[in-house]
Amino acid sequence: MAATGVRLDLDGRPIKPMTICMIGAGGFIGSHLCEKVLFETPHKILALDVYNDKIKHLLEPETQTWADRIQFHRINIKHDSRLEGLIKMADLTINLAAICTPADYNTRPLDTIYSNFIDALPVVKYCSENNKRLIHFSTCEVYGKTIGSFLPTDSPLRQDPSYYVLNENTSPCIFGSIEKQRWSYACAKQLIERLIYAEGAENGLEFTIVRPFNWIGPRMDFIPGIDGPSEGVPRVLACFSNNLLRRQPLKLVDGGQSQRTFVYIKDAIEAVLLMIENSARANGHIFNVGNPHNEVTVQQLAEMMTEVYSKVSGEPPLESPTIDVSSKEFYGEGYDDSDKRIPDMTIINRQLGWNPKTSLWDLLESTLTYQHRTYAEAVKQAISKPVAS
Ligand code: NAD
Ligand code: UDP
């Protein structure tokens, strides 16, 4: 399983084994990145997080062949003096730590801004001061709304890609007003991007910024009441999975007309590994990582997930599989939405030759098979328990 032989980068040069300080390694993306690095490369990981449930299988048992290449440090980067030392021990730091669930942006805007900007500051500073390379995880949400969304609904220009395709170097960042606290996350991410870019320009920091476009797959978020709080609201994949597991209608926020492109986590992780191992091609760049061919409205996503889940679980769909809900009711005051997110793939294609492979149907089939296998029994038991009076 571990890598053997000499690995070459895209320019045919041997890749030297490195130590990676991965902050937020215990999350959804981190868990897949840890697997990829341990199973396919000789690199070592210093895994930092407050939780490790999603990477437990990599930490135990200690007899696994990769066990000496991953070290878990339970650290909250808000206040832990060990952070700088761990960054110094590594060749590369990857920062994934964040509050990144939309339900938090308008209800916990302070935590959101602190997590995505203030807490990321020391990481950037330590990398810059110690001449360490940084790969920082931002978000496609920094683009905000498309230019096209401000055109009259019947304008033919809405069909023109230059009004909606999102390009790293040319598209503006368009957010709503301050009282629309939804944008607290996007704005904090934008400012940390600007700071990293400035550290590169003024102090020579070697950086890469990643803008994920709705990466989805196994281990994303939690199922409320099973491995997360009953009242918690995760991202759409887990919300809809939860509804399907409980045989409840899927809730379409404001009619589910917003559009998203979804990329399979395993495709996206390939792109990150290319960035890790091709520093000369990745340094100084901001990369969109998404799948422009997997675009659907949220309503279409709900319909497809209903069909796929019925196939993998063998249960017939509900007679009315979806239900409309207002954003105020679902997320509370201050919610707003991105209308459409299609990544321009020119830069990542040119620099790293990366392209996503997995269709939306296929990625939903493997993900919902995982959800069913992992949660169906626990949900059944939770539902059958009498409610305490
Ligand atoms: P996640 O919530 O699953 O992972 C984040 C991890 O960071 C969690 O394990 C959390 O415990 C950890 N963390 C948070 N604050 C911390 C702190 N103070 N100290 C230590 N650890 C801390 O989210 P994810 O989907 O894996 O996202 C990772 C990154 O990618 C985030 O920066 C997010 O903004 C960005 N992103 C992801 C997507 C996506 O499609 N999944 C989309 C846009 C942006
Ligand atoms: N959404 C929905 N029902 C849900 C959860 C989310 O209609 O149960 C919508 C949400 O309003 C947004 C889209 O699905 O338009 C994607 O939401 P997600 O939580 O994945 O985050 P985003 O893509 O907005 O960052």
Side-chain angles (χ1 to χ4, degrees), residues 314-372:
E315 294 166 9
L318 297 179
E319 219 160 275
S320 306
T322 60
I323 185 171
D324 283 355
V325 53
S326 75
S327 53
K328 194 168 169 196
E329 201 183 319
F330 192 80
Y331 288 114
E333 209 64 67
Y335 181 74
D336 199 0
D337 210 350
S338 301
D339 53 302
K340 188 173 174 75
R341 292 182 182 158
I342 301 207
D344 185 325
M345 305 296 290
T346 313
I347 299 180
I348 192 154
N349 247 296
R350 185 190 65 215
Q351 294 302 117
L352 301 171
W354 177 81
N355 278 304
K357 304 184 208 103
T358 314
S359 70
L360 187 56
W361 178 277
D362 287 352
L363 74 87
L364 288 178
E365 192 165 343
S366 56
T367 306
L368 291 181
T369 301
Y370 171 89
Q371 302 288 62
H372 183 67

Side-chain angles (χ1 to χ4, degrees), residues 19-37:
T19 299
I20 302 169
C21 173
M22 199 188 297
I23 307 170
F28 162 56
I29 295 176
S31 70
H32 287 273
L33 190 53
C34 284
E35 281 182 353
K36 185 84 176 170
V37 167

Side-chain angles (χ1 to χ4, degrees), residues 100-103 105 139-141 182 185 213-216 220-221 233-240 243 249-262 297-299 301-302 323 325 327 330-331 335-339 341:
C100 50
T101 35
Y105 308 161
T139 172
C140 62
E141 243 184 89
R182 157 65 188 251
Y185 167 74
F213 281 63
N214 293 78
W215 299 9
I216 60 177
M220 185 169 199
D221 298 338
V233 180
R235 287 169 283 189
V236 69
L237 172 82
C239 283
F240 285 176
N243 298 143
L250 281 58
K251 293 182 175 164
L252 300 180
V253 172
D254 293 337
Q257 292 314 298
S258 298
Q259 292 168 294
R260 295 288 187 273
T261 51
F262 293 93
T297 62
V298 173
Q299 181 178 5
L301 174 74
I323 185 171
V325 53
S327 53
F330 192 80
Y331 288 114
Y335 181 74
D336 199 0
D337 210 350
S338 301
D339 53 302
R341 292 182 182 158

Side-chain angles (χ1 to χ4, degrees), residues 97-160:
I99 287 178
C100 50
T101 35
D104 291 319
Y105 308 161
N106 59 316
T107 54
R108 298 169 59 204
L110 283 178
D111 286 341
T112 301
I113 294 167
Y114 273 80
S115 168
N116 284 284
F117 181 66
I118 306 286
D119 299 348
L121 273 178
V123 177
V124 180
K125 182 170 158 259
Y126 296 146
C127 286
S128 190
E129 286 173 358
N130 294 291
N131 297 315
K132 298 292 182 179
R133 189 176 166 224
L134 171 66
I135 297 182
H136 184 83
F137 271 71
S138 180
T139 172
C140 62
E141 243 184 89
V142 295
Y143 294 110
K145 294 171 186 263
T146 63
I147 309 172
S149 70
F150 293 90
L151 293 167
T153 38
D154 57 354
S155 168
L157 288 177
R158 278 186 176 248
Q159 310 311 318
D160 178 343

